[in-house]
Amino acid sequence: MTNIRGRGQGDAPQQVWHIGDVTITKFVDCVEEHDLTHLFPKATVQALLDIPWLQPNFLTADGTGIFSYHALVVETPTRRIIVDTCWGYEKGRGPSEELAQIQSLLLEDLEAAGYPRESFDTVLCTHLHADHVGCNTMMVDGKWVPTFTNARYILNRTEFEYWKAPYDMVPDPEFIHTMEATFYDSVAPVHEAGLIDLVEGTHKICEEVTLVPTPGHSPGHVSIHIASRGEQALITGDMAHHPSQLVHTDWSLRWDFDGEQSVRTREQVFSDAADKPILVIGTHWAGVTAGHVKRDGDSYRLQCD
Ligand SMILES: [Zn+2]
């Protein structure tokens, strides 16, 4: 399957959401098609095609999933935050061999939009997988150094300690290798520079932004709740990779750390958000990327306005 779009937002219009005094802007690293029946062992192409609202944003006409890798810039009256930093530069990683070799344009896109890397005061990673920490560091004079030099990188302690520890709890050897390399080139240099703050449980970043534990996909996974002037949003992280998981909350990812916990997390989060004015912004949800969760019989659907 060929990719839909390579790295760098290019001519795609930026998507912006306003939640009270908070502005959230999406910066696309890359978009690609994925066979969801491989990612979610319980999924079938027919079950996907049976969900009409997945097309055209999240599913092709032949039932292939559309995945976006994007960073979200969250600006509050007091903070400039980047949430998840995608695949990164010169790390040879990406959703496909082909894309892994293409230079990311994320930092250039941020700068062109008025967000140079030095201007961020906070970096949040929903978890420490390779597609969420890549631009945490950059190569300077043959060494990986922090990209966001004026920021505090605020990470969940459980997540940090797990990936720092031996990797014997993760089943897939290829994944182990990638995670090991990821930690050492995208997290450890930031730790060595003294820029990481480890936090636990529900943690308030500032008046409007709070980290909320949503474990399962990874041990210390967090989502990001935003509230301002009576309006609310939730950035999912990978607690739900694809909107089809609103309908099938039991579709766990093949590589979830704890698949059963990820099901419980999805059911809790979607139940809490259902039929409420909470804008749910997906970390890998392509196209419109955000919507409201509505109850639909025994499960849920995403209403994209
Ligand atoms: Zn991810």
Side-chain angles (χ1 to χ4, degrees):
M1 185 62 65
T2 54
N3 63 296
I4 299 169
R5 198 164 72 217
R7 306 192 91 162
Q9 184 134 297
D11 57 359
Q14 256 149 27
Q15 282 167 275
V16 180
W17 300 276
H18 296 283
I19 302 296
D21 293 332
V22 179
T23 303
I24 304 162
T25 310
K26 172 183 150 188
F27 287 87
V28 176
D29 185 13
C30 54
V31 178
E32 220 206 20
E33 297 181 1
H34 271 301
D35 175 0
L36 294 179
T37 65
H38 177 66
L39 296 186
F40 307 134
K42 288 187 179 175
T44 64
V45 170
Q46 191 54 54
L48 286 158
L49 291 171
D50 286 344
I51 308 170
W53 55 265
L54 288 180
Q55 297 183 45
N57 284 288
F58 314 117
L59 198 72
T60 66
D62 68 359
T64 304
I66 307 171
F67 259 60
S68 173
Y69 300 88
H70 49 253
L72 296 166
V73 172
V74 177
E75 274 215 285
T76 79
T78 58
R79 305 287 277 259
R80 178 172 284 184
I81 302 168
I82 184 163
V83 178
D84 287 342
T85 64
C86 306
W87 292 102
Y89 287 69
E90 299 173 21
K91 286 173 174 159
R93 302 187 193 116
S96 68
E97 290 280 320
E98 184 191 13
L99 277 182
Q101 303 312 317
I102 301 173
Q103 187 86 332
S104 174
L105 294 176
L106 184 61
L107 295 179
E108 282 86 341
D109 285 347
L110 287 168
E111 180 144 6
Y115 300 110
R117 61 190 178 83
E118 301 85 359
S119 70
F120 287 89
D121 53 62
T122 309
V123 178
L124 302 179
C125 300
T126 56
H127 60 302
L128 297 183
H129 286 174
D131 54 321
H132 297 260
V133 300
C135 281
N136 280 4
T137 58
M138 56 195 290
M139 180 64 83
V140 176
D141 297 332
K143 208 167 165 260
W144 294 111
V145 297
T147 303
F148 302 97
T149 46
N150 295 315
R152 302 302 300 176
Y153 290 63
I154 303 177
L155 307 179
N156 176 276
R157 182 182 294 279
T158 303
E159 184 75 4
F160 180 88
E161 298 293 349
Y162 176 75
W163 294 115
K164 187 168 169 262
Y167 304 92
D168 55 1
M169 291 170 76
V170 185
D172 187 319
E174 214 180 313
F175 196 59
I176 290 168
H177 175 75
T178 304
M179 278 309 305
E180 191 171 41
T182 296
F183 189 89
Y184 286 106
D185 65 31
S186 302
V187 183
V190 185
H191 187 235
E192 281 157 24
L195 297 183
I196 290 181
D197 293 327
L198 297 177
V199 301
E200 292 166 41
T202 300
H203 179 85
K204 211 172 174 70
I205 302 293
C206 60
E207 184 59 31
E208 300 85 2
V209 180
T210 305
L211 301 183
V212 183
T214 46
H217 175 56
S218 69
H221 188 282
V222 294
S223 299
I224 292 151
H225 182 257
I226 296 163
S228 176
R229 295 187 182 273
E231 297 181 355
Q232 294 183 65
L234 182 78
I235 298 172
T236 58
D238 286 2
M239 57 135 294
H241 286 79
H242 190 265
S244 58
Q245 290 170 293
L246 274 84
V247 179
H248 301 282
T249 54
D250 64 330
W251 284 3
S252 294
L253 192 80
R254 184 180 293 279
W255 301 281
D256 276 343
F257 166 74
D258 182 342
E260 288 177 16
Q261 177 60 54
S262 83
V263 175
R264 288 194 292 274
T265 291
R266 274 189 292 283
E267 285 174 349
Q268 184 71 54
V269 169
F270 294 149
S271 164
D272 288 349
D275 302 322
K276 296 202 181 99
I278 301 173
L279 184 70
V280 178
I281 304 174
T283 293
H284 289 307
W285 299 0
V288 293
T289 297
H292 291 87
V293 176
K294 301 289 176 188
R295 276 187 205 283
D296 191 5
D298 291 338
S299 64
Y300 308 93
R301 65 184 165 83
L302 192 69
Q303 182 176 296
C304 303
D305 303 318

